[in-house]
Amino acid sequence: MKFTATILLLAAATSNAFMPQATPFMRTNTVALNAEVTVASIKELRGLTGAGMMDCKKALIETEGDVEAAIENMRTSGQLKAAKKAAKVAAEGQIIIKSDDDGAVLVEVNCQTDFVAKDGSFLAFAGKVADAAIADKPTIEELKEKFEEDRVALVAKIGENIEVRRVQYVEGEKCSTYIHNGGKIGVVVAGSGDDQVLKNMCMHVCASAPQFLSPSDVADEVIEKERKIQIEVAMNEGKPEDIAEKMVAGRMRKFAGEIALKGQPFVMEPKKSVEEVLKEKKSDITSFIRLEVGEGIVKDDGPSFAEEVAAMAGGN
């Protein structure tokens, strides 16, 4: 019996030696791309993370289609999160004003939502940026570079895009400042005379948003552009061209005063101009700056999912 069993084992071993050996299955990157990274998986990851289509595709390629592993990689990458959030429009935020003996600075720092604009970490960051601005008077490019690492870290912590957008400096014998609506609008007026008068002028600038200091400062091209617009409006109302031009000539004499601070009716005493009030109070204004959060930013909801898929397909 032992001899028979030994013969059988030797026969089995001999036959196996001459049979083709199976090689281990190795999945190539091409197979992983085609089999694992699908539009459905990209859409799933996008819905779970809020990341862009191309970011999701890249993350899934790196993990061979493993959604959970892709999420973990994205969570541990603050740089990736900051890059993803950078595509979001930051039109909320704060205007921060700091002043010293030489003047004042206004800094606009943006985020995406009003909720984050009131967050302690965001306000602390904005305050640090403004402190650096008043101390060293850097350009906006220098200010952005100085705080880029802090900005990226805050984006990773808060989860919204954050931008240091603008910095403006005001110099003068005396500077008065005003913050409106919790930091939505910031105004600095430089001048001389009564402190309360200058503070009231800050509130006037906040409410009336003048574009120039004096009517004489209004550029000729600004007046000419407005004149052409007003003539066209009058002619569209049926007025002959010669009559329209005479009507507009009268309007244009008021136009420069309407957009210049000293020519505007003072909000607290509308029967007097700002210039008249300043003379009465033996005060003067030499310059001013008004910044409003988000002004000039075009909000865009971004491409739809279908548009992102089409763009991704086109990129391939």
Side-chain angles (χ1 to χ4, degrees):
M1 290 295 291
K2 290 182 179 180
F3 178 76
T4 303
T6 303
I7 293 297
L8 290 173
L9 287 171
L10 286 170
T14 303
S15 63
N16 286 339
F18 290 99
M19 291 181 67
Q21 296 299 307
T23 57
F25 174 73
M26 300 292 291
R27 184 167 55 194
T28 65
N29 287 339
T30 302
V31 173
L33 264 174
N34 293 336
E36 304 292 350
V37 182
T38 64
V39 171
S41 63
I42 292 172
K43 184 176 181 180
E44 178 185 359
L45 183 58
R46 182 176 183 266
L48 291 170
T49 64
M53 290 286 291
M54 296 309 295
D55 285 338
C56 291
K57 179 182 176 183
K58 180 181 177 182
L60 287 167
I61 289 173
E62 290 174 352
T63 61
E64 295 188 344
D66 188 327
V67 173
E68 291 186 4
I71 291 174
E72 186 63 27
N73 288 348
M74 294 171 81
R75 287 183 62 193
T76 57
S77 174
Q79 291 288 343
L80 176 61
K81 189 172 185 180
K84 176 183 67 180
K85 294 299 179 182
K88 305 294 185 180
V89 175
E92 296 294 336
Q94 287 280 333
I95 304 295
I96 306 294
I97 299 177
K98 300 285 183 175
S99 58
D100 60 16
D101 293 338
D102 298 323
V105 63
L106 302 89
V107 174
E108 179 181 2
V109 181
N110 296 128
C111 56
Q112 292 172 233
T113 64
D114 186 58
F115 177 78
V116 167
K118 300 173 184 176
D119 176 80
S121 298
F122 174 82
L123 292 172
F125 171 75
K128 283 175 60 179
V129 173
D131 285 337
I134 193 66
D136 302 322
K137 308 294 189 297
T139 64
I140 185 60
E141 290 78 16
E142 292 169 339
L143 205 56
K144 285 182 176 183
E145 182 178 358
K146 180 180 178 67
F147 286 95
E148 179 60 13
E149 288 187 9
D150 291 347
R151 185 194 72 82
V152 169
L154 190 58
V155 169
K157 175 183 177 182
I158 291 180
E160 285 194 9
N161 187 23
I162 294 168
E163 292 291 338
V164 179
R165 185 183 179 216
R166 292 186 289 180
V167 59
Q168 296 281 343
Y169 300 98
V170 180
E171 296 181 354
E173 177 184 335
K174 184 182 293 185
C175 285
S176 184
T177 66
Y178 176 65
I179 289 289
H180 181 70
N181 194 21
K184 294 298 183 184
I185 301 174
V187 175
V188 176
V189 166
S192 59
D194 185 79
D195 290 344
Q196 187 57 51
V197 171
L198 295 180
K199 176 64 73 174
N200 291 344
M201 292 301 164
C202 280
M203 290 186 277
H204 172 94
V205 170
C206 178
S208 300
Q211 300 174 40
F212 301 90
L213 179 59
S214 300
S216 59
D217 296 328
V218 181
D220 291 340
E221 55 266 28
V222 173
I223 295 175
E224 181 60 21
K225 181 180 179 180
E226 181 66 18
R227 189 184 73 83
K228 290 179 178 179
I229 291 173
Q230 291 298 331
I231 288 175
E232 185 175 348
V233 169
M235 291 178 66
N236 288 339
E237 293 174 350
K239 301 293 190 298
E241 184 174 356
D242 58 334
I243 300 298
E245 289 184 352
K246 290 179 181 179
M247 291 173 56
V248 170
R251 292 178 186 175
M252 296 314 297
R253 283 192 288 270
K254 297 180 181 179
F255 173 70
E258 290 171 351
I259 63 172
L261 172 57
K262 291 185 177 181
Q264 291 178 331
F266 183 44
V267 291
M268 296 180 181
E269 297 183 63
K271 293 183 179 180
K272 298 178 182 178
S273 70
V274 167
E275 187 168 31
E276 290 171 337
V277 172
L278 288 171
K279 287 181 178 179
E280 286 180 5
K281 303 296 183 179
K282 295 181 174 56
S283 302
D284 194 19
I285 295 174
T286 54
S287 64
F288 71 91
I289 290 180
R290 178 189 187 275
L291 292 187
E292 184 170 352
V293 169
E295 59 188 349
I297 295 178
V298 178
K299 293 186 179 182
D300 184 3
D301 293 332
S304 65
F305 179 73
E307 290 170 334
E308 288 188 355
V309 172
M312 185 180 67
N316 290 335

